[in-house]
Amino acid sequence: MRMYDLIQKKKRGDELTGEEIRYMIAGFTDGTIPDYQMSAMTMAICFQGMNSRETADLTLAMRDSGDVLDLSGIRGIKVDKHSTGGVGDKTSLALTPVIAALGVPVAKMSGRGLGHTGGTIDKLECFPGFTAEISGETFIRNVNETGIAIAGQTGNLAPADRKLYALRDVTGTVDSLPLIASSIMSKKLASGSDAIVLDVKTGNGAFMKELKDSRALAGAMVSIGTLAGKKTAAVITDMDQPLGYAVGNSLEVIEAIETLQGRGPEDFRQVVFALGSLMLQLGGRAADEKEAVAQMESVIADGRALEKFAQFIAAQGGDPAYVHDPGRLPLASRVIPVTATESGYVHRILAEEIGVACMMAGGGRETKESAIDLSVGIVLKKKNGDPVRAGETLALLYSNNAAKEEEICRKIRMAYETGPEKKEKTPVIHGYIL
């Protein structure tokens, strides 16, 4: 078997066999297939595509290129959740304790933020002492004892994907649906859960800007998970504005805690409940959405979800007192109002620009080595459909860097698109792929 022949085959639009795909991924991972040949293959895939069977075989080959976690020591049906990334997306912080409080174990691998999207691990490190660097034994024990563990991704989890993504990033082959779907799902399948719920974002702040593309990606990933023997479902959620009101690490933690106290933003609550409903159904704890929502409302109302969050933080070395008193979390010393220059209605908030503004303030990373300021961020005061008067506050900037404040405020103001007439709000939940 030769890589040259496989490139020619895919260039013609022919199907690759499972054996050929495994050969290709194994050779690329161990270095016997050079970058220039894999670059040619990824470009051929971009032009010719892959069918669902090829995409599933590619995903499984990348999954098997490194460690596949064995979570058989965890009791019950393990359900994982993955988001394609957005601005203000603190969903895991509120969702996982709700689900764990209802008896579905959550064993989750998460990452750090890069660019305009935030990372779950960074947010959790707002709690003094918290660590995501835990051993496999501790990970399993914590899930069995408290119902949740969230750890950083191991270095040998789907190494083929890490190597392939780095190549795609510099060869203009990122935006290929089968390559995107297999990249995400190879890591999810390697993480060892029994069921997977996907939060696929759509809109100006998402990777997929158009709803049809988000639906196609969600469908491809659900198909991969199902073919791999995992219960898999997806929710398509809106990212035409930041999720909730808070953007920035400590600010998002505070908003997640408020949601666990029953007083979080409505759009954020809808996303948590949509994903949670699927997790409870796949985990065998609810027969339908109505029953799932009633259960989630119950554990929030009686405080069990908040207490579960505190137990989880403590189990991974964090101080649970901050859960019950979030005013102790680090917040920037300066709060600057960003005001509107004209009256009207908010038509759109460019979520990516808000995310970049937060990064400029120090709340995100331009590179993996960038230091991060957990205390800075942005709190929106106006969202899509809201009326606004000239001089009224659109958002608050939490800042520790006076030199950059004027530039950041200007970027936040420019992210708001307003008009004289009220526009109908877009739905938060755009649909389900089951």
Side-chain angles (χ1 to χ4, degrees), residues 170-240:
V170 296
T171 56
T173 55
V174 169
D175 56 344
S176 161
L177 193 146
L179 294 178
I180 295 167
S182 58
S183 173
I184 293 170
M185 291 302 292
S186 63
K187 295 188 288 288
K188 287 291 102 181
L189 294 175
S191 296
S193 286
D194 303 310
I196 303 164
V197 173
L198 301 159
D199 179 2
V200 181
K201 304 293 186 186
T202 192
N204 71 74
F207 187 73
M208 294 294 190
K209 312 294 184 187
E210 301 296 330
L211 182 57
K212 63 179 178 60
D213 295 328
S214 300
R215 289 189 189 279
L217 176 60
M221 292 194 293
V222 169
S223 175
I224 290 168
T226 302
L227 288 170
K230 304 289 186 181
K231 299 177 182 179
T232 311
V235 185
I236 301 171
T237 66
D238 188 64
M239 192 41 66
D240 249 345

Coordinates of all heavy atoms in Angstrom, one line a residue, residues 170-240:
V170 N -2.2 25.2 8.8 CA -1.2 26.0 8.0 C -1.3 25.7 6.5 O -0.6 26.2 5.7 CB 0.2 25.8 8.5 CG1 0.4 26.3 9.9 CG2 0.6 24.3 8.4
T171 N -2.3 24.8 6.1 CA -2.4 24.4 4.7 C -3.8 24.8 4.1 O -4.2 24.3 3.0 CB -2.2 22.9 4.5 OG1 -3.0 22.2 5.3 CG2 -0.7 22.6 4.8
G172 N -4.6 25.6 4.9 CA -5.9 26.0 4.4 C -6.9 24.9 4.3 O -7.8 24.9 3.4
T173 N -6.8 23.8 5.1 CA -7.7 22.7 5.1 C -8.5 22.5 6.4 O -8.9 21.4 6.7 CB -7.0 21.4 4.7 OG1 -5.9 21.2 5.6 CG2 -6.4 21.5 3.3
V174 N -8.7 23.6 7.1 CA -9.5 23.5 8.3 C -10.9 23.3 8.1 O -11.6 22.5 8.7 CB -9.2 24.7 9.2 CG1 -10.2 24.7 10.4 CG2 -7.8 24.7 9.8
D175 N -11.5 24.0 7.1 CA -12.9 24.1 6.9 C -13.5 22.9 6.0 O -14.0 23.1 4.9 CB -13.4 25.4 6.3 CG -12.6 25.8 5.0 OD1 -11.6 25.1 4.7 OD2 -13.1 26.7 4.3
S176 N -13.2 21.7 6.4 CA -13.8 20.5 5.8 C -14.6 19.8 6.8 O -14.1 19.4 7.8 CB -12.6 19.6 5.3 OG -13.1 18.3 5.0
L177 N -15.9 19.6 6.4 CA -16.8 19.0 7.4 C -16.4 17.6 7.9 O -16.3 17.4 9.2 CB -18.2 18.9 6.8 CG -19.3 18.6 7.8 CD1 -20.6 19.3 7.5 CD2 -19.6 17.1 8.0
P178 N -16.0 16.7 7.1 CA -15.5 15.4 7.7 C -14.2 15.5 8.5 O -14.1 14.8 9.5 CB -15.2 14.5 6.4 CG -15.2 15.4 5.3 CD -16.0 16.6 5.6
L179 N -13.4 16.5 8.2 CA -12.2 16.6 9.0 C -12.5 17.3 10.3 O -11.9 17.0 11.4 CB -11.1 17.5 8.2 CG -10.5 16.8 7.0 CD1 -9.6 17.7 6.3 CD2 -9.9 15.4 7.3
I180 N -13.4 18.2 10.3 CA -13.8 18.9 11.6 C -14.5 17.9 12.5 O -14.2 17.7 13.7 CB -14.8 20.1 11.3 CG1 -14.1 21.2 10.6 CG2 -15.4 20.6 12.6 CD1 -15.0 22.2 10.0
A181 N -15.5 17.1 11.9 CA -16.3 16.1 12.7 C -15.4 15.1 13.3 O -15.5 14.7 14.4 CB -17.3 15.5 11.8
S182 N -14.4 14.5 12.5 CA -13.6 13.5 13.0 C -12.6 14.0 14.0 O -12.2 13.3 15.0 CB -12.8 12.8 11.8 OG -12.0 13.8 11.1
S183 N -12.2 15.3 13.9 CA -11.3 15.9 14.9 C -12.0 15.9 16.2 O -11.4 15.5 17.3 CB -10.9 17.3 14.4 OG -10.1 17.9 15.4
I184 N -13.2 16.4 16.3 CA -13.9 16.5 17.5 C -14.2 15.2 18.1 O -14.0 14.9 19.3 CB -15.2 17.4 17.3 CG1 -14.9 18.8 17.0 CG2 -16.1 17.3 18.6 CD1 -16.1 19.6 16.6
M185 N -14.8 14.3 17.3 CA -15.3 13.0 17.8 C -14.2 12.1 18.2 O -14.4 11.2 19.0 CB -16.2 12.4 16.8 CG -17.5 13.2 16.6 SD -18.5 13.4 18.2 CE -19.0 11.7 18.5
S186 N -13.0 12.2 17.5 CA -11.9 11.2 17.9 C -11.5 11.4 19.4 O -11.3 10.5 20.1 CB -10.7 11.4 17.0 OG -10.1 12.7 17.1
K187 N -11.5 12.7 19.8 CA -11.2 13.0 21.2 C -12.3 12.6 22.2 O -12.0 12.1 23.2 CB -10.8 14.5 21.4 CG -9.6 14.9 20.6 CD -9.2 16.3 21.0 CE -10.1 17.4 20.4 NZ -9.9 17.5 18.9
K188 N -13.5 12.8 21.7 CA -14.7 12.4 22.6 C -14.7 10.9 22.7 O -15.0 10.4 23.8 CB -16.0 12.9 22.0 CG -16.2 14.4 22.1 CD -16.4 14.9 23.5 CE -15.2 15.5 24.1 NZ -15.5 16.0 25.5
L189 N -14.5 10.2 21.7 CA -14.6 8.7 21.7 C -13.4 8.2 22.6 O -13.5 7.2 23.3 CB -14.6 8.1 20.3 CG -15.8 8.4 19.5 CD1 -15.6 7.9 18.1 CD2 -17.1 7.9 20.1
A190 N -12.3 8.8 22.5 CA -11.1 8.4 23.3 C -11.3 8.7 24.8 O -10.6 8.1 25.6 CB -9.8 9.1 22.8
S191 N -12.2 9.6 25.1 CA -12.4 9.9 26.5 C -13.2 8.9 27.3 O -13.3 9.0 28.5 CB -13.1 11.3 26.6 OG -12.3 12.3 26.0
G192 N -13.8 7.9 26.6 CA -14.3 6.8 27.3 C -15.7 6.8 27.8 O -16.2 5.8 28.5
S193 N -16.5 7.9 27.6 CA -17.9 7.9 28.1 C -18.8 7.0 27.3 O -18.5 6.6 26.1 CB -18.4 9.3 28.1 OG -17.9 10.1 29.1
D194 N -20.0 6.6 27.9 CA -20.9 5.8 27.2 C -21.8 6.5 26.2 O -22.4 5.9 25.3 CB -21.8 5.0 28.2 CG -21.0 4.2 29.2 OD1 -20.1 3.5 28.8 OD2 -21.2 4.4 30.4
A195 N -22.1 7.8 26.5 CA -23.0 8.6 25.7 C -22.4 10.0 25.6 O -21.7 10.5 26.5 CB -24.4 8.7 26.4
I196 N -22.7 10.7 24.5 CA -22.1 12.0 24.2 C -23.3 12.9 23.8 O -24.0 12.6 22.9 CB -21.1 11.9 23.1 CG1 -20.0 10.9 23.4 CG2 -20.5 13.3 22.8 CD1 -19.1 10.5 22.2
V197 N -23.3 14.1 24.4 CA -24.2 15.2 24.0 C -23.4 16.3 23.5 O -22.5 16.8 24.1 CB -25.1 15.6 25.1 CG1 -26.0 16.8 24.7 CG2 -26.1 14.4 25.5
L198 N -23.7 16.8 22.3 CA -23.0 17.8 21.6 C -23.7 19.1 21.5 O -24.9 19.2 21.2 CB -22.6 17.4 20.1 CG -21.9 16.1 20.0 CD1 -22.0 15.4 18.7 CD2 -20.4 16.3 20.3
D199 N -23.1 20.2 21.9 CA -23.6 21.6 21.8 C -22.9 22.2 20.6 O -21.8 22.7 20.7 CB -23.3 22.3 23.1 CG -23.8 23.8 23.1 OD1 -24.4 24.2 22.0 OD2 -23.6 24.5 24.0
V200 N -23.6 22.2 19.5 CA -23.1 22.8 18.2 C -23.6 24.2 18.1 O -24.8 24.5 17.9 CB -23.5 21.9 17.0 CG1 -22.9 22.5 15.7 CG2 -23.0 20.5 17.2
K201 N -22.7 25.2 18.1 CA -23.0 26.6 18.1 C -23.2 27.0 16.6 O -22.6 26.5 15.7 CB -21.9 27.4 18.7 CG -21.6 27.1 20.1 CD -22.7 27.4 21.1 CE -22.3 27.2 22.5 NZ -23.5 27.3 23.4
T202 N -24.1 28.0 16.4 CA -24.3 28.6 15.1 C -24.4 30.1 15.2 O -25.0 30.6 16.2 CB -25.5 28.0 14.4 OG1 -25.5 28.4 13.0 CG2 -26.8 28.4 15.1
G203 N -23.9 30.9 14.3 CA -24.0 32.3 14.3 C -22.7 33.0 14.2 O -21.6 32.4 14.0
N204 N -22.6 34.3 14.4 CA -21.4 35.1 14.1 C -20.3 34.8 15.0 O -19.1 35.0 14.7 CB -21.8 36.6 14.1 CG -22.0 37.1 15.5 OD1 -21.1 37.3 16.3 ND2 -23.3 37.4 15.7
G205 N -20.6 34.3 16.2 CA -19.5 34.0 17.2 C -19.1 32.5 17.2 O -18.3 32.1 18.0
A206 N -19.7 31.7 16.3 CA -19.4 30.3 16.2 C -18.4 30.0 15.1 O -18.2 30.7 14.2 CB -20.7 29.5 16.0
F207 N -17.9 28.8 15.2 CA -17.0 28.3 14.1 C -17.9 28.1 12.8 O -17.4 28.5 11.7 CB -16.4 26.9 14.5 CG -15.4 26.5 13.5 CD1 -14.1 27.1 13.4 CD2 -15.6 25.4 12.6 CE1 -13.2 26.6 12.5 CE2 -14.7 25.0 11.7 CZ -13.5 25.6 11.6
M208 N -19.1 27.6 12.9 CA -20.0 27.5 11.8 C -21.0 28.7 11.9 O -21.8 28.8 12.8 CB -20.8 26.2 11.9 CG -20.0 24.9 11.7 SD -19.3 24.9 10.0 CE -18.6 23.2 10.0
K209 N -20.9 29.6 10.9 CA -21.6 30.8 10.9 C -23.1 30.6 10.4 O -24.0 31.3 10.8 CB -21.0 31.9 10.0 CG -19.5 32.1 10.3 CD -19.2 32.6 11.6 CE -17.7 32.9 11.8 NZ -17.3 33.3 13.1
E210 N -23.3 29.6 9.5 CA -24.6 29.4 8.9 C -25.3 28.2 9.6 O -24.6 27.2 9.8 CB -24.4 29.2 7.4 CG -23.8 30.4 6.7 CD -24.6 31.6 6.8 OE1 -25.9 31.5 6.8 OE2 -24.0 32.7 6.8
L211 N -26.6 28.3 9.7 CA -27.3 27.3 10.4 C -27.3 26.0 9.6 O -27.1 24.9 10.2 CB -28.8 27.7 10.6 CG -29.7 26.7 11.3 CD1 -29.2 26.3 12.6 CD2 -31.2 27.3 11.3
K212 N -27.3 26.0 8.3 CA -27.2 24.8 7.5 C -25.9 24.1 7.7 O -25.9 22.8 7.8 CB -27.4 25.1 6.0 CG -26.4 26.0 5.4 CD -26.7 26.2 3.9 CE -25.7 27.1 3.2 NZ -24.3 26.6 3.3
D213 N -24.8 24.8 7.9 CA -23.5 24.2 8.1 C -23.5 23.6 9.5 O -22.9 22.5 9.7 CB -22.4 25.2 8.0 CG -22.3 25.7 6.5 OD1 -22.6 24.9 5.6 OD2 -22.0 26.9 6.3
S214 N -24.1 24.3 10.5 CA -24.1 23.7 11.9 C -24.9 22.5 11.9 O -24.5 21.5 12.6 CB -24.7 24.8 12.8 OG -23.9 26.0 12.8
R215 N -26.0 22.4 11.2 CA -26.8 21.2 11.1 C -26.1 20.1 10.5 O -26.1 18.9 11.0 CB -28.1 21.4 10.3 CG -29.1 22.3 11.0 CD -30.5 22.3 10.2 NE -31.4 23.3 10.7 CZ -32.2 23.1 11.8 NH1 -32.1 22.0 12.5 NH2 -33.0 24.1 12.2
A216 N -25.3 20.4 9.4 CA -24.5 19.3 8.8 C -23.5 18.8 9.7 O -23.2 17.6 9.7 CB -23.9 19.9 7.5
L217 N -22.8 19.7 10.4 CA -21.7 19.2 11.3 C -22.3 18.4 12.4 O -21.8 17.3 12.8 CB -21.0 20.4 11.9 CG -19.9 20.1 13.0 CD1 -18.8 19.2 12.4 CD2 -19.3 21.4 13.5
A218 N -23.4 18.8 13.0 CA -24.1 18.1 14.1 C -24.5 16.7 13.6 O -24.3 15.7 14.3 CB -25.3 18.9 14.6
G219 N -25.1 16.7 12.4 CA -25.5 15.4 11.8 C -24.3 14.4 11.6 O -24.4 13.2 11.9
A220 N -23.2 15.0 11.1 CA -22.0 14.1 10.9 C -21.5 13.6 12.2 O -21.1 12.4 12.3 CB -21.0 14.9 10.2
M221 N -21.4 14.4 13.2 CA -20.9 13.9 14.5 C -21.8 12.9 15.2 O -21.4 11.9 15.8 CB -20.6 15.1 15.4 CG -19.5 16.0 14.9 SD -18.8 17.2 16.1 CE -20.2 18.3 16.3
V222 N -23.1 13.1 15.1 CA -24.1 12.2 15.7 C -23.9 10.8 15.0 O -23.9 9.8 15.6 CB -25.5 12.7 15.6 CG1 -26.5 11.6 16.0 CG2 -25.7 13.9 16.6
S223 N -23.8 10.9 13.6 CA -23.6 9.7 12.8 C -22.4 8.9 13.2 O -22.4 7.7 13.4 CB -23.6 10.0 11.4 OG -23.3 8.9 10.6
I224 N -21.3 9.7 13.4 CA -20.0 9.0 13.9 C -20.2 8.3 15.2 O -19.8 7.2 15.4 CB -18.9 10.1 13.9 CG1 -18.5 10.6 12.5 CG2 -17.6 9.5 14.7 CD1 -17.6 11.8 12.6
G225 N -20.7 9.1 16.2 CA -20.9 8.5 17.5 C -21.8 7.2 17.5 O -21.5 6.2 18.1
T226 N -22.8 7.3 16.7 CA -23.8 6.1 16.6 C -23.1 4.9 16.0 O -23.2 3.8 16.5 CB -25.0 6.5 15.8 OG1 -25.6 7.6 16.4 CG2 -26.0 5.4 15.7
L227 N -22.3 5.2 14.9 CA -21.6 4.1 14.2 C -20.5 3.5 15.1 O -20.1 2.3 15.0 CB -21.0 4.6 12.9 CG -21.9 4.9 11.8 CD1 -21.2 5.6 10.6 CD2 -22.5 3.6 11.3
A228 N -20.0 4.3 16.1 CA -19.0 3.9 17.0 C -19.6 3.2 18.2 O -18.9 2.8 19.1 CB -18.1 5.0 17.5
G229 N -20.9 3.1 18.3 CA -21.6 2.3 19.3 C -21.9 3.2 20.6 O -22.2 2.6 21.6
K230 N -21.8 4.5 20.4 CA -22.1 5.4 21.5 C -23.5 6.1 21.3 O -23.8 6.4 20.2 CB -21.1 6.5 21.6 CG -19.6 6.0 21.8 CD -19.4 5.4 23.1 CE -17.9 5.1 23.3 NZ -17.6 4.5 24.6
K231 N -24.3 6.2 22.4 CA -25.5 7.0 22.3 C -25.1 8.5 22.1 O -24.3 9.0 22.9 CB -26.3 6.9 23.6 CG -26.7 5.5 24.0 CD -27.5 5.5 25.3 CE -27.9 4.1 25.7 NZ -28.6 4.1 27.1
T232 N -25.5 9.1 21.0 CA -25.0 10.4 20.7 C -26.2 11.3 20.2 O -27.1 10.8 19.5 CB -24.0 10.3 19.6 OG1 -23.0 9.4 19.9 CG2 -23.3 11.7 19.4
A233 N -26.2 12.5 20.7 CA -27.3 13.5 20.3 C -26.7 14.8 20.3 O -25.6 15.1 20.9 CB -28.5 13.4 21.2
A234 N -27.3 15.8 19.6 CA -26.8 17.1 19.5 C -27.9 18.2 19.6 O -29.0 17.9 19.2 CB -26.0 17.3 18.1
V235 N -27.5 19.3 20.2 CA -28.4 20.5 20.2 C -27.7 21.6 19.4 O -26.5 21.8 19.6 CB -28.7 20.9 21.6 CG1 -29.7 22.1 21.7 CG2 -29.1 19.8 22.5
I236 N -28.4 22.3 18.6 CA -27.8 23.4 17.9 C -28.3 24.7 18.6 O -29.5 25.0 18.7 CB -28.3 23.4 16.4 CG1 -27.8 22.1 15.7 CG2 -27.7 24.6 15.7 CD1 -28.4 21.9 14.3
T237 N -27.3 25.4 19.1 CA -27.6 26.6 20.0 C -27.1 27.9 19.4 O -26.1 27.8 18.6 CB -27.1 26.4 21.4 OG1 -25.7 26.4 21.4 CG2 -27.6 25.1 22.0
D238 N -27.7 29.0 19.7 CA -27.4 30.3 19.1 C -26.1 30.9 19.7 O -25.8 30.9 20.9 CB -28.5 31.2 19.4 CG -28.4 32.5 18.6 OD1 -28.4 32.4 17.4 OD2 -28.2 33.6 19.2
M239 N -25.3 31.4 18.7 CA -24.1 32.2 19.1 C -24.0 33.5 18.2 O -23.0 33.9 17.8 CB -22.8 31.3 18.9 CG -21.6 31.9 19.6 SD -21.6 32.7 21.2 CE -22.1 31.3 22.2
D240 N -25.2 34.1 18.0 CA -25.3 35.4 17.3 C -25.1 36.5 18.3 O -25.3 37.7 17.9 CB -26.6 35.5 16.5 CG -26.4 35.5 15.0 OD1 -25.2 35.6 14.6 OD2 -27.3 35.3 14.3

